[in-house]
């Protein structure tokens, strides 16, 4: 697979990560069905919180301590502050793009530095790392033969995370 725009230095990276996101979305729909919920964005304090997240990101960047957490938190808080559906959609696309880019950054790390690289005895989680009530373990996803974290946990709220 050749290098494409958005591959973040790892050929095929973007297609693999987006396939994992697609698979997670399918799993969410299987578990929760179609959900019709209010946005819950805008409102008291959200603009101030977005401004604070932006300031924290800028301060960290100036100090040489910028992290993926800063960038993603800023994008999430900007989405939380948005009331206009079209602008909210743009902000959520930015959230998704930053999250995908962060996953790609994880995938570029040496194998021992990747999440999921910790010891697993007989497929069990290390002590103190047990899923919460209602969590469903999904051991492997398509693309397991590719470099990067592949073990996923689908939590009761339908969100997935690296196991």
């Amino acid at each position: 697979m050749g290098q494409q725009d958005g591959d973040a230095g790892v050929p095929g990276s973007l297609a693999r990560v987006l396939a994992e996101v697609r698979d997670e979305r399918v799993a969410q729909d299987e578990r929760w069905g179609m959900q019709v919920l209010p946005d819950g964005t805008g409102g008291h304090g959200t603009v101030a919180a977005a401004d604070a997240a932006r300031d924290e990101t800028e301060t960290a960047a100036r100090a040489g301590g910028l992290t993926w957490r800063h960038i993603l938190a800023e994008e999430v808080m900007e989405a939380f502050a948005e009331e206009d559906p079209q602008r909210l959609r743009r902000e959520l696309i930015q959230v998704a793009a930053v999250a995908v880019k962060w996953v790609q950054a994880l995938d570029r790390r040496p194998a021992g530095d990747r999440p999921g690289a910790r010891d697993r005895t007989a497929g069990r989680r290390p002590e103190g790392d047990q899923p919460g009530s209602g969590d469903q373990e999904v051991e492997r996803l398509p693309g397991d033969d590719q470099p990067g974290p592949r073990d996923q946990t689908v939590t009761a709220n339908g969100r997935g995370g690296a196991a």
Side-chain angles (χ1 to χ4, degrees), residues 32-39:
W32 302 106
M34 182 175 294
Q35 294 176 292
V36 180
L37 304 168
D39 295 329

Side-chain angles (χ1 to χ4, degrees), residues 55-151:
D55 290 345
E56 183 180 351
T57 299
E58 291 171 2
T59 299
R62 281 193 302 275
L66 185 64
T67 66
W68 285 111
R69 182 197 61 82
H70 290 108
I71 297 168
L72 185 59
E74 177 182 339
E75 295 301 338
V76 167
M77 295 311 294
E78 288 173 351
F80 286 175
E82 193 53 66
E83 292 182 85
D84 177 80
Q86 290 177 333
R87 290 193 300 252
L88 174 59
R89 186 182 190 285
R90 280 195 302 270
E91 291 297 338
L92 290 171
I93 293 295
Q94 291 174 16
V95 168
V98 169
V100 165
K101 192 167 183 175
W102 189 353
V103 170
Q104 290 176 298
L106 293 172
D107 289 353
R108 284 195 310 271
R109 293 179 185 170
D113 292 341
R114 293 182 185 151
R118 59 187 169 221
D119 181 33
R120 294 184 188 266
T121 306
R124 292 185 335 199
R125 294 167 179 262
E127 190 159 317
D129 192 23
Q130 298 302 315
S133 175
D135 286 359
Q136 172 187 346
E137 186 72 19
V138 178
E139 285 300 319
R140 305 302 264 170
L141 295 174
D144 284 342
D145 58 328
Q146 301 300 325
R150 299 290 179 236
D151 292 0

